[in-house]
Amino acid sequence: MFMPKSPMDTLHFSCIQIAIALLLFTHANSTTEGSTSALHPNDAIPSCVAGEKSALLAFRAGLSDPANLLSSWKGDDCCRWKGVYCSNRTGHVVKLDLRGDESRQMLAGNISSSLLGLDHLRYLDLSCNSFDKIQMPEFMGSLHQLRYLDLSASLFIGRIPPQLGNLSNLWYLNLGSDE
Ligand SMILES: *[C@@H]1O[C@H](CO)[C@@H](O)[C@H](O)[C@H]1NC(C)=O
Ligand SMILES: *[C@@H]1O[C@H](CO)[C@@H](O)[C@H](O)[C@H]1NC(C)=O
Ligand SMILES: *[C@@H]1O[C@H](CO)[C@@H](O)[C@H](O)[C@H]1NC(C)=O
């Protein structure tokens, strides 16, 4: 024999249902945001692809940045971070311009192969920085989309990796030193 449910029970039950529905809804929302990259409605700056944001953060973690040049590298939208440029059409990071500046404020440390996560990267400028204990990374030869690569005047040591010869789309390459 069934007892009729008290109003309190019904209320409790429907609250849980709503909470579950909300949870599923927000989950579905964030999943679609992760796989596509919507444009901001009011301007043409695209928002960041989640995997590319992680790649940038891993790259930053290897750097030493005493002058805090990358202080804008926080928050969800990596397309708004200093030196990061995304395609207006696809939202992918296509350009990374971290050229050191004249005031001698520079990046140093290690260049993480997490950059390979930026597989739409066409333009990379790390020139005029202070990578003075490391070699030019061999993995850069696998950034197949690169059109523009500037690693000049950044105090790399050792030989130029032959893997850079694999960058068959390059039209600009500068590995010069300023000394
Ligand atoms: C993308 O949009 C930004 C902001 O409106 C603009 O400055 C930039 O030139 C655009 N880039 C391209 C490739 O159209
Ligand atoms: C760069 O890598 C070397 C060797 O793995 C490590 O000793 C050093 O702490 C790293 N530098 C930074 C800024 O993470
Ligand atoms: C890249 O270049 C190296 C050395 O020149 C070569 O041994 C290697 O097979 C190349 N890799 C690819 C994926 O083309």
Side-chain angles (χ1 to χ4, degrees):
M1 183 176 146
F2 287 100
M3 295 289 290
K5 277 189 174 159
S6 77
M8 260 331 268
D9 275 354
T10 324
L11 188 65
H12 185 67
F13 183 61
S14 56
C15 278
I16 290 177
Q17 268 184 324
I18 290 170
I20 290 175
L22 276 177
L23 236 145
L24 289 174
F25 180 72
T26 36
H27 180 69
N29 245 4
S30 57
T31 327
T32 42
E33 266 167 33
S35 54
T36 63
S37 45
L39 298 183
H40 291 279
N42 296 326
D43 53 41
I45 301 178
S47 61
C48 174
V49 175
E52 296 184 350
K53 186 183 93 176
S54 318
L56 286 166
L57 287 175
F59 165 65
R60 185 198 183 183
L63 295 172
S64 117
D65 178 14
N68 212 10
L69 299 176
L70 303 184
S71 58
S72 69
W73 285 36
K74 56 179 186 252
D76 269 343
D77 196 351
C78 67
C79 296
R80 290 167 186 265
W81 296 355
K82 180 187 154 83
V84 178
Y85 300 85
C86 298
S87 159
N88 290 341
R89 201 169 46 79
T90 65
H92 288 290
V93 175
V94 290
K95 173 173 170 178
L96 198 52
D97 181 359
L98 298 176
R99 189 183 179 87
D101 68 10
E102 287 75 35
S103 62
R104 311 311 288 165
Q105 296 190 317
M106 293 172 296
L107 300 171
N110 301 311
I111 300 180
S112 163
S113 59
S114 67
L115 278 184
L116 292 176
L118 306 176
D119 51 7
H120 292 71
L121 195 65
R122 296 163 71 99
Y123 183 112
L124 178 60
D125 189 346
L126 297 176
S127 65
C128 304
N129 285 300
S130 186
F131 300 108
D132 62 347
K133 299 277 188 302
I134 62 168
Q135 306 208 351
M136 282 184 193
E138 293 178 358
F139 75 80
M140 282 190 183
S142 301
L143 289 165
H144 296 295
Q145 298 302 317
L146 279 188
R147 269 68 171 168
Y148 185 107
L149 178 60
D150 193 342
L151 301 176
S152 66
S154 276
L155 310 177
F156 287 102
I157 57 170
R159 61 170 197 165
I160 293 171
Q163 283 82 356
L164 293 187
N166 293 348
L167 295 173
S168 52
N169 289 311
L170 273 191
W171 54 260
Y172 181 93
L173 175 64
N174 191 350
L175 306 176
S177 117
D178 59 356
E179 293 161 313

